[in-house]
Amino acid sequence: MSGRGSVYSFTETRRVFHPFFADRVPYLLASIELAEQTDLRMLSNLVGIAEPDVRFGMPVEVTFEDLSADLTIPVFAPAGSLA
């Protein structure tokens, strides 16, 4: 997988549903359409962008967030914003 995609759908979550998220709200949850195949989507967090700036179809690329010493998850940021 290339790690590239586009925002298919998104929402900003402001409610804490689990204690783990207490320090993380608000956060953006998005359905990312992966570049490799139409209709191939995954749910992930959007990082490095505020909700008013997100657009449907905007290009994004994967990065990884370490949640603990043994847990790393894929998240997506606007394409070209990673340096």
Side-chain angles (χ1 to χ4, degrees), residues 37-49:
Q37 178 181 327
T38 302
D39 295 328
L40 177 61
R41 299 184 192 115
M42 69 178 286
L43 286 177
S44 185
N45 289 102
L46 282 177
V47 297
I49 190 167

Side-chain angles (χ1 to χ4, degrees), residues 16-25:
V16 177
F17 293 100
H18 185 277
F20 173 82
F21 295 99
D23 297 341
R24 300 176 69 86
V25 292

Side-chain angles (χ1 to χ4, degrees), residues 10-78:
F10 71 95
T11 187
E12 183 175 58
T13 302
R14 295 179 172 271
R15 189 168 177 197
V16 177
F17 293 100
H18 185 277
F20 173 82
F21 295 99
D23 297 341
R24 300 176 69 86
V25 292
Y27 61 90
L28 295 170
L29 180 65
S31 178
I32 304 297
E33 186 164 78
L34 300 175
E36 282 69 25
Q37 178 181 327
T38 302
D39 295 328
L40 177 61
R41 299 184 192 115
M42 69 178 286
L43 286 177
S44 185
N45 289 102
L46 282 177
V47 297
I49 190 167
E51 185 271 335
D53 299 324
V54 179
R55 300 288 178 257
F56 298 115
M58 73 180 287
V60 293
E61 57 191 354
V62 74
T63 186
F64 295 91
E65 183 176 342
D66 294 323
L67 297 182
S68 69
D70 58 347
L71 181 61
T72 300
I73 62 169
V75 296
F76 286 81

